[in-house]
Amino acid sequence: MTSIMSLQALGQINAAMRPCRQAGPTSRPCLVSRKVDAARSPSVQHRFVSGSSLRKSALPQIARHRQTSVVVSSAAASSPAVPAAEPKKENPLVLGALFAGWYGFNTFFNIYNKQVLKVFPYPVTCTTVQFAVGSLFAVFMWTVGLLKKPEFSKDMAKGISPLAGVHTLGNLLTNVSLGRVAVSFTHTIKALEPFFSVALSAAFLGDTPTIPIVLSLFPIVGGVAMASVTEATFNWGGFLAAMGSNITFQSRNVLSKKFMGKDTKGSVRLDNINLFSIITIMSFFILAPVTLLLEGVKFTPSAMHSMGILNSTEVIKKTLLAGVCFHAYQQVSYMILQRVTPVTHSVGNCLKRVIVIVASVIVFQNPMSKQNMIGTGISLAGVFIYSQVKRMSGKKKLA
């Protein structure tokens, strides 16, 4: 009788020591509520009263039971049948190939784009062709199953429309800048992206930058200013177009944070690659009528011959290749972002800009003064410092 009563009392104690269902896994046991319930139950009250009356011989059994429970739970935790989740390790060869593809596609995009715009000065048409090529890529990937086709709705279209608008304008302004100034100078100006990111996030998302982040922006701004003063190809049209591109792209990022943070009615939240694919298609339909209105039909051999372009086939081929590289480097960029931290991706993007600038100077033989090179170097170093400050700020928040 004593052993039966001891086990019954033990069951009540163990039940009382279990956490509440509403509480989290780290919450304390709800002893108070269970003691109240126990006090209300006559049978349980009797057990607790007579167990106040628990004989000393029953207490060792309770102690042994608890020790056994601890041993069993410890063994279960270390059992190979339930292995602990380990962080997924990326194959360095695969990651290296993705980074090489990212840098390669982006470099060739800038080179082909600049070569085309030097002889075919129609940036709106070139941008529309790039969106058309990207749209065909997206549809192809959905059709063959390389990418899961997203569910699309009117509500989703309304939510993405602002993103598509700024995406269209940002790419158009980039091509305008590439057509007017050197590739190296365009990318030097685009190093100002962190500055506009901080400014727009503070204005629209309420993110107040820390003092270290603000200080890290000074070398970026100062370096771009130093490079601009001595840039041989400087003109206000190219400079302002690149600055406008910075503003629109960072506006897109701010809008993306707002959109990706919410599920649209009756639809599934989009991943980055599908979101980019849909935006590309919408951008094509936005810009196509604008192209016909502003520039007309220029992307034909006969139109090019009338402009004095003798080798129209080469221009068309490089324009299409630029479109392929444009969409490919964006896709690979998102694939990398899924495998590495945002800070690593940011550092990789900084290195990519260096590679593009060096490659363009070699290919196009752009003259760069000593002050221009120093200014470009300072601005890119500032971007690297900014990414490291952001990383440290993230760690402090987690701590």
Side-chain angles (χ1 to χ4, degrees):
M1 184 69 179
T2 303
S3 61
I4 294 174
M5 186 173 291
S6 300
L7 291 175
Q8 289 174 342
L10 178 64
Q12 294 297 329
I13 293 171
N14 285 338
M17 291 294 292
R18 295 192 192 106
C20 292
R21 291 184 181 178
Q22 294 89 344
T26 59
S27 59
R28 296 180 180 178
C30 299
L31 294 176
V32 176
S33 61
R34 294 190 184 277
K35 284 181 179 178
V36 172
D37 292 338
R40 290 176 180 174
S41 172
S43 60
V44 175
Q45 183 178 13
H46 170 72
R47 289 179 192 136
F48 270 95
V49 170
S50 54
S52 77
S53 64
L54 272 181
R55 298 182 183 177
K56 293 183 180 179
S57 60
L59 295 177
Q61 296 177 13
I62 298 174
R64 281 198 301 271
H65 180 85
R66 287 184 177 173
Q67 290 174 356
T68 306
S69 301
V70 172
V71 173
V72 170
S73 60
S74 300
S78 60
S79 173
V82 187
E86 295 182 359
K88 184 180 179 182
K89 295 181 179 179
E90 293 295 337
N91 188 328
L93 293 178
V94 174
L95 203 56
L98 288 173
F99 270 97
W102 186 24
Y103 296 163
F105 285 129
N106 191 266
T107 301
F108 280 108
F109 161 71
N110 282 278
I111 290 173
Y112 287 145
N113 218 12
K114 181 63 177 179
Q115 288 175 338
V116 169
L117 289 167
K118 286 175 72 173
V119 297
F120 184 73
Y122 294 96
V124 184
T125 299
C126 290
T127 308
T128 303
V129 172
Q130 290 162 14
F131 286 143
V133 173
S135 300
L136 292 175
F137 258 97
V139 172
F140 172 77
M141 293 178 71
W142 288 330
T143 303
V144 301
L146 292 175
L147 189 64
K148 185 178 179 180
K149 187 177 179 181
E151 298 177 8
F152 198 70
S153 64
K154 291 182 179 179
D155 291 322
M156 184 182 291
K158 290 178 182 178
I160 300 178
S161 294
L163 295 176
V166 293
H167 180 75
T168 305
L169 184 59
N171 282 285
L172 175 59
L173 290 173
T174 298
N175 284 341
V176 170
S177 179
L178 286 172
R180 290 174 175 265
V181 298
V183 173
S184 57
F185 185 53
T186 297
H187 280 271
T188 300
I189 300 170
K190 286 177 74 65
L192 281 170
E193 285 180 351
F195 172 81
F196 290 104
S197 176
V198 171
L200 292 172
S201 294
F204 296 102
L205 298 180
D207 295 340
T208 304
T210 62
I211 293 177
I213 287 178
V214 173
L215 292 176
S216 70
L217 297 176
F218 279 93
I220 301 176
V221 177
V224 171
M226 183 183 295
S228 301
V229 171
T230 56
E231 172 59 38
T233 63
F234 179 88
N235 65 72
W236 283 107
F239 176 80
L240 293 176
M243 291 290 283
S245 173
N246 281 335
I247 295 172
T248 52
F249 277 134
Q250 294 312 309
S251 300
R252 180 192 64 183
N253 293 343
V254 170
L255 288 170
S256 293
K257 288 179 183 179
K258 285 197 168 188
F259 177 74
M260 293 297 286
K262 300 177 181 179
D263 292 337
T264 53
K265 297 178 181 178
S267 61
V268 184
R269 181 180 296 183
L270 293 171
D271 59 78
N272 284 335
I273 296 179
N274 270 325
L275 178 60
F276 169 70
S277 299
I278 292 175
I279 286 175
T280 300
I281 295 172
M282 293 180 71
S283 295
F284 168 72
F285 285 107
I286 290 172
L287 197 57
V290 177
T291 303
L292 295 175
L293 182 64
L294 296 180
E295 296 180 351
V297 181
K298 303 292 184 183
F299 197 66
T300 62
S302 58
M304 291 182 187
H305 288 154
S306 65
M307 288 182 275
I309 300 175
L310 300 178
N311 196 350
S312 60
T313 303
E314 187 71 11
V315 173
I316 292 173
K317 182 180 75 173
K318 287 187 176 181
T319 304
L320 295 175
L321 284 173
V324 171
C325 291
F326 167 75
H327 194 77
Y329 93 75
Q330 297 271 14
Q331 290 276 12
V332 175
S333 174
Y334 286 125
M335 292 171 67
I336 292 173
L337 189 57
Q338 290 174 346
R339 290 168 167 79
V340 301
T341 64
V343 173
T344 301
H345 189 274
S346 178
V347 174
N349 189 53
C350 182
L351 179 59
K352 180 205 72 177
R353 208 174 291 286
V354 174
I355 292 173
V356 170
I357 289 174
V358 172
S360 66
V361 170
I362 294 173
V363 172
F364 297 109
Q365 298 294 308
N366 296 325
M368 290 186 72
S369 66
K370 187 176 180 180
Q371 182 176 337
N372 188 279
M373 288 187 286
I374 292 173
T376 300
I378 291 174
S379 64
L380 294 174
V383 174
F384 176 78
I385 294 170
Y386 169 81
S387 65
Q388 295 306 304
V389 171
K390 288 281 287 184
R391 178 177 65 84
M392 297 303 295
S393 299
K395 283 187 175 180
K396 287 181 181 178
K397 286 181 181 180
L398 290 174

